[in-house]
Amino acid sequence: TLSGSASNYAIGMEPRWTAASTELDEMYIRLACVFDPASVYSFLVSHENYQLDRCLHYCKEANILDATAYLLERTGDVSEALNHILYEVKDMLQALRRALEKDIKPFHASQWAIPKIREVRDVEDVLRIIIELCIRNNQRLDEQDSQSLWFKSFDEFVLAQRAYRKELQRHQLAGTADPPAVRKMLSCLNSFIQNSKKSSVSEADIAT
């Protein structure tokens, strides 16, 4: 004989454990948002038994960037997913500038030395999220929308790069010493952009 839940399933009824499983998954996600935010994204990717809107609220509330972007993407709003990430980029770049101003270690611009500090890792992480989002949607969007997504993704970094180059030029024209933080910031941005180009090309090749 079949168990109760199995017999329900056999006659076309939804098994009782489905609702319980959804509740358990959502409870786990809600708790993970508070106590283990780094695990939320991987859990969302490997599970589907949860309410998108509810879990999106949890992730937004906890400001978990990759998880929020992933859920927005799953709702079909790829543009909003990218906007949500880029909204954080400006603040991250400003935080990086402030951290570099405090960093007094020797710096050699010719070596593209990138300080191993948390703020650098934060920006590298957000770039990884952006690239993965663009790669996942290469095949889903038409060519024009896909290219627009890529260009929009790196505008913030390119604009910041230009601004720091101009700042260096102003110091050079005025005959004043270059602020070390500006050279460090420009070096970081150069590295971010170059590495992103390499990653995006290699990932796109794999995807195709």
Side-chain angles (χ1 to χ4, degrees), residues 1 3 7 16-17 19 33 40 42 50 61 74 78 83-85 93 107 110 123 129 137 143 153 188:
T1 59
S3 66
S7 61
R16 293 178 182 177
W17 47 260
C33 283
V40 175
S42 58
Y50 51 81
E61 196 172 48
R74 279 199 59 190
V78 178
N83 287 338
H84 181 77
I85 300 170
L93 291 178
F107 175 72
S110 60
V123 178
I129 296 169
N137 289 278
E143 186 176 355
S153 297
C188 286

Side-chain angles (χ1 to χ4, degrees), residues 164-180:
Y164 280 102
R165 281 178 178 165
K166 287 181 179 178
E167 189 171 345
L168 276 182
Q169 289 171 358
R170 286 197 298 271
H171 284 284
Q172 290 167 358
L173 289 173
T176 56
D178 298 338

